Every structure is written in structure tokens, then in C-alpha cells.
Amino acid sequence: MLKFIKSYLNANEPSVKLFEGERKLVITGLFGVILSLGIASFIYFQGHLILPEGNMKDVFSFNAAIGIYILSIAAILPLARFGDRKRKVIRWLFISATLYSYAIETVQNFRGINPRFSSAGTNIDMVAGMLFGIVSLVLVALAIVLTIHFLRMKSPHERPLLLLGVRYAFTSVTVASIAGIWMILLQDRLTGDAGNIIVLHGIGFHALQTLILLAWFLEKTQAKWHYKKILLHSGSIAWILMILFIGIQTALGRSVFELTIIPILGSCLLFVWLGTVIMAVVLVIKQSRNDYSSPIDQPSFTE
């Protein structure tokens, strides 16, 4: 079955390929993932706490998250149609900001210092933490630039379903970026009695995988164009609404994991998104088994 699926997905290869020309970004993202695996080994043998403030679990989750984020950016950047110069500037801003983030998060926690909001560090540590905040704002600014650019792109586009998925994904990323600024202003990730902004921040950024993956599967099927758009819109809107519910619950200072109406509604929306992904995967598998030979229905995206 896997052989059939692989042969089909490689067929009718679009002219604009994911990750094309972004080897340096891919390496930067993979470095974060590999670094997080090394941190996981350290935690297994040495534990996660390093006095007075270090927490290696934070290092593991941060490096893994930003590594996956950069891999996602590397995947979609070829779709943006940037000129060579602008694309190079954006690429190196991402790489520079990411490498500093890896370094400050890892080194400071190994020293037992909170890299963002330290109360035990020296003046140099405070300056490094302030610079970390500035670098975080650079990453937020880059996300906003990409969001505006993708929303303003006009048809025709070689991969309209994927472009639509990217637009939805960056809507979620915008909410996640606002959550990041919220943490910077608050100088903490906790709010109210049990609210944790980092949950909103992290899940919001994962739209760059969840929604783009849905669009990618759908563009590989020969289902009717209208049906594919309905599935993509349904799954993406469900995801965005889930993010908004998480944001409301967090703003109320309450945990998103408690069994109350807002988290329950958010969970239902998550299952709606998951259902659309499962349907898209089933379509791909069914199509590979039947060995369809007709070209993929892929009209240009229009508003």
C-alpha cells in the first residue's frame, strides 16, 4: 500500500515544490529537533531541574517547537514568490534569530538561569534576556510579514489549495504571536488562577503543520474541487475557532484542561479538524488503491 501511495504522490509533481531552495532553513530546523533529543537524554539521566532556576524540560520543548516551526517555514517559503534578495533576507533573519534562541535557551538553563525572566542572574544575564525578547519580537514580525504577504497574493497560483491552507495557518499563527507578546508584557506565562499562555502560544503555531498537512493531502486527491474546498474550509475554521476558545479560557485565567463548557467546545472543534484530516487521508489511500489515471482537479484559487 505504501508503495502505491508513494508512487501516486510523486505523480503530477507541481512546479513549485515544498522546501525547494531552503536547505539552510531545513538544517537550522533539524538542528533544533536533534538538540531537543539530546536534551531528552540529559533529562533521563540527570533530571530536569538545575538550581536555582533552570528547567531542562523547557529547553526540550522550546528547541523542538522552534525547530519544527522553522522546518514548516522552510516548506512554505517557496510558495511565497519572493524575489531572490527579499527571500534571502527573510531566510537569514529566521536563521539568525533561531540560532540565538537555541543558544540562549539551552545555555542559560544549563547554568540554572531562567533565560527570559531571571531573578537570580547577573546584569549580563538580564541583558541577554532582554535581547531574547527582542529576538522573539523579530520572529513575530517575520510571521506578520509572511501573513500579510500570503493574504495579499493574487491568483492564479500553482498550488491553490495549499495557499488556502497557508492563509488559514497564518491566521492561527497571528493569534499565537499575540500570545507571545502577551507573555513578554506580562513577564510570565501564567495568568489568573490557572491560565497558561504557553498553551495558546504553542497550539496556535502548530497550525503550520496541522492545516497545511490537511491541504497537502487534499491536493493529492481527485475528489471534486468543491468537495475539497469544503473539507479544507471546515477543518481550518474548526481549528481557528478552537484557538479562539483556548484564548478566551486563558484570558479568564482558567486552565484549558478543565471540564467546563469552553474547553469542551474547543475539544469538539479539534475532533472536527481531525475528522477532515482522516477523510482526506482515506481519499488518498482509496485513490492509490484504485490507481486513478485522470489528472488532479486543480483549478486556480479565487476568492
Side-chain angles (χ1 to χ4, degrees):
M1 182 189 299
L2 291 176
K3 183 177 180 180
F4 282 124
I5 295 174
K6 184 176 179 181
S7 62
Y8 175 75
L9 295 181
N10 288 335
N12 301 310
E13 189 70 28
S15 57
V16 180
K17 299 179 182 179
L18 300 181
F19 298 103
E20 188 174 23
E22 295 302 334
R23 181 180 178 184
K24 293 182 177 65
L25 268 179
V26 170
I27 292 173
T28 302
L30 287 175
F31 178 69
V33 175
I34 294 171
L35 184 59
S36 69
L37 294 176
I39 297 299
S41 299
F42 176 88
I43 293 172
Y44 180 78
F45 290 106
Q46 301 294 331
H48 68 279
L49 293 177
I50 299 179
L51 297 176
E53 301 174 320
N55 189 334
M56 301 311 293
K57 286 185 178 179
D58 291 342
V59 183
F60 166 78
S61 59
F62 177 86
N63 287 336
I66 196 170
I68 293 171
Y69 174 65
I70 293 301
L71 285 173
S72 302
I73 294 296
I76 64 175
L77 200 55
L79 304 176
R81 297 175 176 169
F82 284 127
D84 291 341
R85 182 176 180 181
K86 188 171 184 179
R87 184 171 171 179
K88 184 176 181 181
V89 169
I90 290 176
R91 177 189 303 126
W92 281 105
L93 283 173
F94 268 118
I95 291 173
S96 302
T98 301
L99 291 179
Y100 179 81
S101 298
Y102 289 154
I104 193 69
E105 181 75 25
T106 305
V107 171
Q108 290 296 78
N109 274 288
F110 263 117
R111 294 178 59 232
I113 300 297
N114 187 317
R116 298 171 184 81
F117 318 118
S118 178
S119 58
T122 65
N123 289 335
I124 295 177
D125 294 320
M126 292 178 62
V127 172
M130 292 173 62
L131 184 57
F132 196 8
I134 294 172
V135 168
S136 299
L137 290 175
V138 170
L139 290 172
V140 169
L142 289 171
I144 293 173
V145 168
L146 289 178
T147 300
I148 295 172
H149 178 78
F150 277 110
L151 289 175
R152 294 180 63 185
M153 287 183 69
K154 298 180 179 180
S155 58
H157 193 278
E158 297 87 341
R159 307 185 72 169
L161 273 178
L162 206 54
L163 177 61
L164 182 58
V166 169
R167 287 171 167 173
Y168 272 118
F170 272 110
T171 302
S172 178
V173 167
T174 300
V175 178
S177 298
I178 293 172
I181 296 173
W182 185 4
M183 285 189 289
I184 292 174
L185 295 176
L186 198 61
Q187 291 288 287
D188 200 352
R189 63 180 62 182
L190 303 177
T191 180
D193 294 330
N196 192 340
I197 307 171
I198 199 68
V199 177
L200 174 64
H201 183 66
I203 295 179
F205 274 111
H206 278 304
L208 285 172
Q209 296 88 51
T210 59
L211 301 188
I212 294 175
L213 182 67
L214 172 60
W216 185 78
F217 277 127
L218 287 171
E219 84 168 358
K220 298 299 179 182
T221 72
Q222 288 182 340
K224 292 183 179 180
W225 174 250
H226 180 66
Y227 179 64
K228 291 194 287 188
K229 283 188 68 176
I230 289 176
L231 277 180
L232 183 54
H233 280 301
S234 299
S236 299
I237 291 173
W239 181 274
I240 299 299
L241 289 176
M242 179 195 69
I243 294 298
L244 293 178
F245 278 130
I246 292 174
I248 292 170
Q249 184 76 352
T250 304
L252 293 173
R254 303 174 67 176
S255 171
V256 298
F257 302 108
E258 64 181 38
L259 293 177
T260 54
I261 185 63
I262 295 178
I264 290 173
L265 288 174
S267 299
C268 291
L269 290 165
L270 178 62
F271 280 111
V272 171
W273 163 81
L274 181 60
T276 59
V277 173
I278 292 173
M279 292 176 70
V281 172
V282 169
L283 286 172
V284 172
I285 294 174
K286 181 180 178 181
Q287 187 169 310
S288 66
R289 283 178 173 177
N290 294 335
D291 194 22
Y292 283 91
S293 59
S294 58
I296 294 175
D297 177 20
Q298 187 84 318
S300 297
F301 175 80
T302 55
E303 298 292 345

